[in-house]
Amino acid sequence: MLTVFLAVLRRDLLLSWRGRADLLVTLAFFVIVVCLFPFGVGAETNQLRAIAPGVLWVAALLASLLSLHRLFAQDHADGTLEQLLLSSEPAVSWVAGKVVAYWLTTGLPLVVAAPGLALLFDVEQGALPVLTFSLALGTPILALLGAVGAALTLGVRGGGMLLALLILPLYVPVLIFGAGAVEAWLGGTGATAHLLLLGGGLAGALALAPWACAAALRIAME
């Protein structure tokens, strides 16, 4: 299983590098959305600090959703997905490899860029590690839940819109706990509880989402 996981991970990373323009679009979307908010709400420092966690998390959520429909689309179009499902290898192993590759190329750049963008909102320096850690825990959950949604809507007409309607309600708890971790730290109550909830959510998603995604892909290909 590990060999299959690593092979699919390497393959998807190489494909993502060759199509890196799409990855830059996702990152550019995240940066532009975050940068627009100070122009819209004004330059009042306290107001910017208050909205910063929510703005950064919503922008990261939307940016991850932007490229989610491509997670299985290319393999579905060229027949690779069907061959993978027909192979004797466990579907969970290569599904996990694809999701990890997706997060490394889409979620990780958002995690890296977020602390610098937070400075636009005059966020306290001490809150930046909390913001980074919350995104590092939360964005893999978004990727795992999104992979299940992408599998369920694979090959469906208007699948992108349906995917958003299906996945966005599931993203709400992640958004609440992720933004709430930074707000709790800024409020002096500590972010431990929110981060533990995100960690628990990540553990649950890691345990269940690859199996659900593999099952959804089998249904979609029938």
Side-chain angles (χ1 to χ4, degrees), residues 44-120:
E44 206 280 315
T45 303
N46 291 330
Q47 186 178 16
L48 289 176
R49 286 176 178 170
I51 68 171
V55 168
L56 288 162
W57 259 96
V58 169
L61 185 153
L62 294 176
S64 65
L65 189 63
L66 188 66
S67 60
L68 195 56
H69 68 281
R70 297 195 301 268
L71 181 55
F72 300 111
Q74 183 177 351
D75 288 342
H76 179 252
D78 63 15
T80 302
L81 189 60
E82 185 176 2
Q83 295 300 316
L84 287 170
L85 287 170
L86 290 174
S87 70
S88 60
E89 302 295 341
V92 174
S93 60
W94 56 261
V95 166
K98 292 184 72 66
V99 175
V100 171
Y102 172 78
W103 180 78
L104 288 174
T105 55
T106 304
L108 186 58
L110 304 183
V111 176
V112 173
L117 293 173
L119 298 177
L120 294 174

Side-chain angles (χ1 to χ4, degrees), residues 13-218:
L13 289 175
L14 287 173
L15 290 174
S16 297
W17 175 250
R18 292 173 184 172
R20 51 189 175 274
D22 293 333
L23 307 180
L24 293 176
V25 168
T26 301
L27 183 59
F29 176 84
F30 175 64
V31 172
I32 291 170
V33 169
V34 172
C35 291
L36 285 176
F37 272 88
F39 293 106
V41 302
E44 206 280 315
T45 303
N46 291 330
Q47 186 178 16
L48 289 176
R49 286 176 178 170
I51 68 171
V55 168
L56 288 162
W57 259 96
V58 169
L61 185 153
L62 294 176
S64 65
L65 189 63
L66 188 66
S67 60
L68 195 56
H69 68 281
R70 297 195 301 268
L71 181 55
F72 300 111
Q74 183 177 351
D75 288 342
H76 179 252
D78 63 15
T80 302
L81 189 60
E82 185 176 2
Q83 295 300 316
L84 287 170
L85 287 170
L86 290 174
S87 70
S88 60
E89 302 295 341
V92 174
S93 60
W94 56 261
V95 166
K98 292 184 72 66
V99 175
V100 171
Y102 172 78
W103 180 78
L104 288 174
T105 55
T106 304
L108 186 58
L110 304 183
V111 176
V112 173
L117 293 173
L119 298 177
L120 294 174
F121 296 83
D122 198 29
V123 175
E124 295 180 24
Q125 294 285 334
L128 297 182
V130 178
L131 172 64
T132 304
F133 193 43
S134 69
L135 285 169
L137 289 173
T139 50
I141 303 177
L142 301 182
L144 287 162
L145 293 177
V148 178
L152 288 171
T153 58
L154 185 65
V156 177
R157 174 177 287 185
M161 183 64 67
L162 182 60
L163 174 61
L165 294 174
L166 181 67
I167 291 301
L168 282 176
L170 301 178
Y171 281 180
V172 172
V174 184
L175 173 64
I176 292 172
F177 295 132
V182 185
E183 292 171 355
W185 191 92
L186 292 172
T189 58
T192 304
H194 293 80
L195 295 176
L196 287 175
L197 286 168
L198 282 175
L202 177 58
L206 286 170
L208 299 176
W211 297 92
C213 187
L217 287 172
R218 293 188 184 279

